[in-house]
Every structure is written in C-alpha cells, then in structure tokens.
Amino acid sequence: QIPDHFIEIEVTETILFTGSQMGYISRILDGFHSCGLYVSLDDFGFGYSSLFLLRVLDIDTIKLDRSFFVDENEKSRAIVTGIIQFAHQFKICVVAEGVETREQFEQLREIGCDYVQGYYFAKPMPCQEFEGLLDEYRGAGIEEPLTDTEIRNELPVLLVADEDEDY
C-alpha cells in the first residue's frame, strides 16, 4: 500500500489547450486526486499556457519549462518570479526544469522556487547507478522522512522514470 500523495501524475500543458474538453479533463484530474495522487502540469510556459488553466483545474504542481532558464535575461527572471508568486497564491508548488548551473539554482532558491531539477544535480542514469546513489544516500546517515509532507516540504525530490526493460 503506497500512502496518498507519494505518486504524482504529470500531464503536459499541450493536452489541455483544447477548451472544449476542459470539463472532461477536469473530471479526470479530480479522479486522480480522489485516488490520493498529486497532479503536475509539465512544460508550463512553453506552449499555450493560460493562467485560466490554473484557475479551473485542480493542479498541485507546475513545472516551468527550461526555456525560461536558457539565455536568461531580466525579462525572463521577472516572468519566472511572477509565475512563482502567482502559483503560491493558489497553493501550487513550482518546479523549475532544466537547471544546469549553480547560478540558476541560487536565483531560483532566492525567488522562492519550491524544487529544481536538471543536469546541475545529475544527468539521467541507468537503474543500477541510481540504486548506488540511493545506497550512498542511506549510508550517509540521513534519516528517511516519516510523512509525505516532509518529503514535499523539506527534502529534494528525485524524478525516476523507469524505462529500463530489464528492471
């Protein structure tokens, strides 16, 4: 039995741009929530982003597209800051994707981004290498969290995509 909120379903923003199906999609997302799943909206800000989506859909997390962090400038920083502040007003968590430098990480932490992911921390790796990383983490004497709240609010999150057919 996996406790509620330990699994997050990720949907891409592009599947949501058809307004005629908004009610249908909203019911599906509500169904995910009723099963104890979180829902994240991937690639936010890349395609047909609409703040309307955040108002009408029950989204737990938005994942900012890496395009905001490549060739970053004052305008993109202001947009990211505004999106983070806006999302937090609705109790939506924000993840920055594609973070590759310490400077990007520090800037995002300074403006209140909840989580970051990208090559700055680790590149994609085979399952065995990942298991070794977990063993190293456990060997460092770091206690495992007791609740999902501690995981979401206190610890870094690692995205695992199992594409290894032998695993």
Side-chain angles (χ1 to χ4, degrees):
Q1 178 76 1
I2 298 174
D4 285 357
H5 308 298
F6 268 54
I7 297 178
E8 185 166 301
I9 300 294
E10 186 173 292
V11 295
T12 59
E13 170 191 299
T14 53
I15 70 160
L16 302 176
F17 75 89
T18 306
S20 64
Q21 296 183 354
M22 198 62 65
Y24 175 71
I25 299 227
S26 182
R27 287 189 301 278
I28 290 173
L29 298 183
D30 289 345
F32 289 151
H33 281 113
S34 70
C35 294
L37 305 172
Y38 279 124
V39 177
S40 68
L41 183 57
D42 193 27
D43 297 333
F44 187 80
F46 180 70
Y48 298 95
S49 287
S50 171
L51 299 178
F52 178 75
L53 291 177
L54 301 182
R55 188 182 73 119
V56 299
L57 298 176
D58 191 8
I59 301 291
D60 300 294
T61 303
I62 58 173
K63 299 179 83 176
L64 296 176
D65 187 76
R66 70 181 296 275
S67 61
F68 285 113
F69 314 111
V70 177
D71 298 325
E72 185 181 24
N73 59 39
E74 188 175 315
K75 199 178 216 180
S76 62
R77 276 191 296 275
I79 291 169
V80 169
T81 300
I83 290 171
I84 290 170
Q85 291 172 349
F86 180 81
H88 287 167
Q89 289 290 316
F90 289 94
K91 307 281 190 266
I92 297 172
C93 181
V94 180
V95 177
E97 297 181 300
V99 175
E100 297 181 359
T101 68
R102 182 172 186 84
E103 181 182 0
Q104 290 171 331
F105 170 69
E106 294 294 339
Q107 286 176 353
L108 288 160
R109 183 166 61 175
E110 186 177 299
I111 61 174
C113 188
D114 301 298
Y115 300 102
V116 296
Q117 68 183 52
Y119 284 4
Y120 174 66
F121 299 99
K123 293 185 178 182
M125 63 186 78
C127 287
Q128 286 182 331
E129 193 175 325
F130 173 70
E131 289 170 346
L133 185 64
L134 282 180
D135 290 341
E136 196 175 304
Y137 176 82
R138 290 181 186 123
I142 299 171
E143 292 183 31
E144 292 187 27
L146 300 175
T147 67
D148 65 314
T149 302
E150 289 176 309
I151 288 174
R152 281 190 74 79
N153 295 329
E154 303 295 331
L155 298 173
V157 174
L158 180 63
L159 172 66
V160 177
D162 183 14
E163 296 176 357
D164 184 346
E165 293 175 9
D166 297 327
Y167 190 69

